Amino acid sequence: MSELFITTGGIIKLLFQAIYWCRDAYWNMDKILYQITEIGNNTLPVATLIALSSGAVLSLQSGPTLASFGIEENLGGIVGLSMVKEIGPVMASILIAGRMGSAMSAEIGSMSVYDEIDALKTMNINPVRFLVMPRFLAMILALPVLVLFMDVVGWFGGALVASANPEIGLSYQVYFRNLADFVTVKAVFNGLIKAFIFGIIISIVSCYVGLRTKGGPREIGRSVTKAVVLSFILVLVSDYFITRILLFMNID
Amino acid sequence: MSNNGNSLLNYLESTPMDLRVSNLYKSFPDKEVLKGLDLHVGPSETHVILGKSGVGKSLLLKCICGLEPYNSGSVFLNGEQVLSDKDLAKYKIGFVFQSSALFNSMSVSDNVGIYLREHRLVKDEDQYRSLVSGALELVGLSGVEEQFPSELSGGMKRRVATARVLVMSPDLILFDEPTTGLDPMMTKTIGELIVTLKETINTTQVVVTHDIEFGKYIADRISIISEGKIIDVGDPGNLENSCNEVVKSFISKKFDEREGKYEERI
């Protein structure tokens, strides 16, 4: 139980330290841009595939049922809203936690184990400013953009199945007109708020676990597993609470 | 020495530090390591701390530079007691780690210049390159700027780590087992480097090692650590004359790197 409190306290403290060091973002722009590029390079191809499949599956599951009631023209709105509000942010976060969160905890964990963090401290270089802040900012900037990208690709995935599947037989024009009617800026904004918060969770959890790594190479592996699992849990659990809050604030 | 080397020496502004450790205690849940340790290192002195493995030599260095908190006791830098990280931040203390602790994802040049870049101490790229090259030249490693740590030998890594510390203009340099895992030739090179640093930049140096011959070669004074305390301090030439039985026993043994233990001298 005490470990739970230590971890929670440590994560919150690291979050505030990372926010504090954002004042040095201008001087660390090269590191932030490098991290954003890393996120893009490592996730875009997989994100495209996942978003295309997710949109296609949504269309495939809902389309025939809607068609049986004669209301298949609503498919665009259903796929569109599902992508921007839930599937886009959650899928992107799972992907980012798996690919980038693991890389962050492995890299920082390895630096902890091999005295590199201590070396930074002896040179009066704050490890949070040097290591955590650039990753934190890159993640909260890149994840919403990735979500927007996945939303659009997901819509196209849904449209492809809607027009190609004879059981649905919906034209692109009808699909996208309905999507435009239902998907409001507010709905997209809803998904971006979630992505922003998920970005905070994944970056801080991954960096925290990395910084706490002690021992040898085996512990680095354990840290990676711990960071990814903890990020998944926190993203999925917080998703419910964020949705509740957004509904309460009438942003949903 | 080239222009780069001279520009580094002109740039260095270290003030040799007076270091005093008083009644230092440090324990872990299962073991008490430092048990009331006292130590004094004067300005510009190269002080060697000799002792067997596991007696707390490296831990002492980490306590001095604030990497490890201690249970009780005091550390005084230039006569001022260190009470917080802010007190420590006033001084430039370089630490050469046993593992070298180079950043593997950065080139040698970026490793050496990280302090200059992160504290924004250089005006332009030319000055940066000149200081980095000067530091590498001082440790005898010119021309490796673009290589990565994975391409270097153990001895080269230690020298790059020393160069990284040099650009800080350190008031105090702490060397943690600088010869562990190195062959005799490289051990000699590292010894010569430490002596050269003493002559060129005149900073205070504390070196912990278990290698008696190496310690004698570089030291102005030697302290012997045993059972968590400094049990004897003296000039390198006088250690054999110590009245302390533990010191006599330690000095009469030779460290076998392969076996990892001390053996009787023949």
Side-chain angles (χ1 to χ4, degrees):
Chain A
M1 198 64 178
S2 66
E3 182 63 28
L4 178 70
F5 285 116
I6 290 169
T7 305
T8 310
I11 288 172
I12 292 168
K13 187 180 169 193
L14 186 61
L15 171 62
F16 282 112
Q17 286 176 330
I19 292 169
Y20 172 79
W21 283 112
C22 284
R23 67 189 186 143
D24 273 13
Y26 176 76
W27 296 103
N28 290 276
M29 202 51 80
D30 55 334
K31 295 190 200 89
I32 297 165
L33 291 175
Y34 174 77
Q35 289 297 330
I36 290 176
T37 314
E38 281 285 292
I39 292 172
N41 284 344
N42 284 326
T43 54
L44 272 181
V46 187
T48 309
L49 199 63
I50 289 177
L52 207 61
S53 311
S54 301
V57 166
L58 274 175
S59 211
L60 192 61
Q61 291 275 16
S62 319
T65 313
L66 293 173
S68 68
F69 289 103
I71 51 169
E72 67 272 20
E73 69 274 10
N74 290 313
L75 185 60
I78 291 173
V79 173
L81 281 178
S82 304
M83 283 305 299
V84 296
K85 284 188 173 183
E86 274 307 321
I87 295 180
V90 171
M91 284 290 188
S93 302
I94 299 281
L95 172 64
I96 286 271
R99 294 219 64 163
M100 293 312 299
S102 59
M104 286 178 185
S105 57
E107 189 179 359
I108 298 178
S110 161
M111 291 180 77
S112 293
V113 167
Y114 297 112
D115 294 330
E116 292 172 36
I117 305 280
D118 281 348
L120 287 175
K121 289 178 188 168
T122 59
M123 290 186 278
N124 278 333
I125 298 170
N126 189 297
V128 178
R129 177 175 67 79
F130 187 76
L131 295 170
V132 181
M133 181 270 287
R135 286 165 173 79
F136 170 73
L137 275 180
M139 190 73 92
I140 61 176
L141 291 174
L143 191 49
V145 177
L146 186 70
V147 167
L148 276 180
F149 172 76
M150 287 181 74
D151 289 346
V152 175
V153 174
W155 295 344
F156 277 101
L160 275 174
V161 171
S163 79
N165 191 320
E167 287 183 58
I168 308 168
L170 201 63
S171 71
Y172 288 112
Q173 287 88 343
V174 176
Y175 176 91
F176 279 109
R177 197 180 308 127
N178 184 255
L179 188 146
D181 288 342
F182 279 92
V183 179
T184 57
V185 173
K186 205 166 144 184
V188 175
F189 187 61
N190 171 303
L192 297 185
I193 291 175
K194 285 184 178 177
F196 180 79
I197 297 171
F198 294 160
I200 293 174
I201 292 172
I202 296 164
S203 57
I204 294 297
V205 165
S206 304
C207 291
Y208 173 78
V209 173
L211 287 170
R212 292 258 297 174
T213 308
K214 283 194 169 58
R218 184 177 287 183
E219 273 64 31
I220 298 171
R222 281 190 185 143
S223 285
V224 172
T225 309
K226 192 177 170 186
V228 172
V229 171
L230 197 56
S231 296
F232 280 3
I233 293 170
L234 289 177
V235 162
L236 295 172
V237 172
S238 65
D239 186 29
Y240 172 80
F241 292 101
I242 298 166
T243 306
R244 283 299 297 171
I245 292 167
L246 292 174
L247 282 169
F248 179 73
M249 292 168 71
N250 202 22
I251 298 177
D252 202 68
Chain B
M1 191 171 283
S2 74
N3 287 340
N4 290 335
N6 287 328
S7 68
L8 177 80
L9 291 179
N10 291 334
Y11 164 82
L12 294 177
E13 287 176 2
S14 59
T15 315
M17 182 182 280
D18 182 90
L19 166 71
R20 190 178 290 278
V21 177
S22 173
N23 206 24
L24 200 72
Y25 282 86
K26 170 69 186 178
S27 60
F28 295 101
D30 55 339
K31 193 182 178 190
E32 188 173 35
V33 185
L34 302 179
K35 304 168 186 171
L37 184 140
D38 294 302
L39 175 74
H40 176 239
V41 182
S44 302
E45 183 185 338
T46 297
H47 195 103
V48 169
I49 299 171
L50 272 175
K52 294 177 185 174
S53 298
V55 292
K57 303 188 297 291
S58 302
L59 183 65
L60 169 63
L61 293 191
K62 288 186 175 178
C63 288
I64 291 171
C65 69
L67 288 177
E68 281 282 351
Y70 40 86
N71 301 106
S72 65
S74 312
V75 173
F76 296 90
L77 302 177
N78 287 342
E80 285 181 33
Q81 187 175 359
V82 176
L83 296 170
S84 66
D85 287 347
K86 276 187 181 172
D87 294 335
L88 266 175
K90 287 191 283 187
Y91 302 98
K92 287 175 282 183
I93 303 176
F95 197 119
V96 180
F97 289 83
Q98 188 175 346
S99 62
S100 301
L102 298 179
F103 306 110
N104 288 316
S105 56
M106 293 182 186
S107 67
V108 166
S109 168
D110 289 340
N111 264 286
V112 174
I114 185 171
Y115 182 82
L116 301 173
R117 280 226 197 276
E118 290 303 314
H119 293 282
R120 301 194 282 277
L121 295 175
V122 282
K123 285 174 283 184
D124 52 48
E125 201 61 21
D126 285 343
Q127 190 194 8
Y128 171 81
R129 283 206 203 98
S130 165
L131 291 174
V132 167
S133 299
L136 285 169
E137 190 185 317
L138 204 61
V139 299
L141 273 182
S142 296
V144 298
E145 283 87 343
E146 299 312 315
Q147 291 188 26
F148 280 79
S150 57
E151 300 171 78
L152 305 177
S153 69
M156 289 165 91
K157 283 182 185 170
R158 301 277 162 85
R159 285 189 280 166
V160 172
T162 309
R164 182 171 69 181
V165 160
L166 284 181
V167 297
M168 291 171 65
S169 301
D171 306 322
L172 169 68
I173 305 180
L174 307 171
F175 289 90
D176 185 10
E177 302 276 10
T179 60
T180 299
L182 302 184
D183 60 56
M185 285 298 287
M186 193 50 74
T187 298
K188 190 166 175 268
T189 307
I190 296 288
E192 284 166 356
L193 170 63
I194 292 173
V195 172
T196 307
L197 292 183
K198 181 163 63 179
E199 289 163 358
T200 50
I201 65 169
N202 197 34
T203 192
T204 310
Q205 302 183 100
V206 179
V207 184
V208 304
T209 181
H210 53 247
D211 187 333
I212 298 167
E213 296 307 324
F214 172 76
K216 280 181 175 176
Y217 175 65
I218 60 170
D220 291 326
R221 284 195 308 152
I222 294 179
S223 291
I224 307 289
I225 184 171
S226 177
E227 303 284 326
K229 285 181 175 180
I230 299 291
I231 54 168
D232 202 359
V233 185
D235 295 337
N238 296 338
L239 270 180
E240 272 91 352
N241 307 326
S242 172
C243 303
N244 190 311
E245 286 303 317
V246 182
V247 177
K248 275 186 191 169
S249 156
F250 180 73
I251 292 295
S252 66
K253 290 173 183 174
K254 181 167 171 277
F255 189 76
D256 188 330
E257 284 275 357
R258 279 183 303 180
E259 293 288 325
K261 61 184 182 185
Y262 288 87
E263 60 186 29
E264 294 293 337
R265 277 188 183 175
I266 303 164

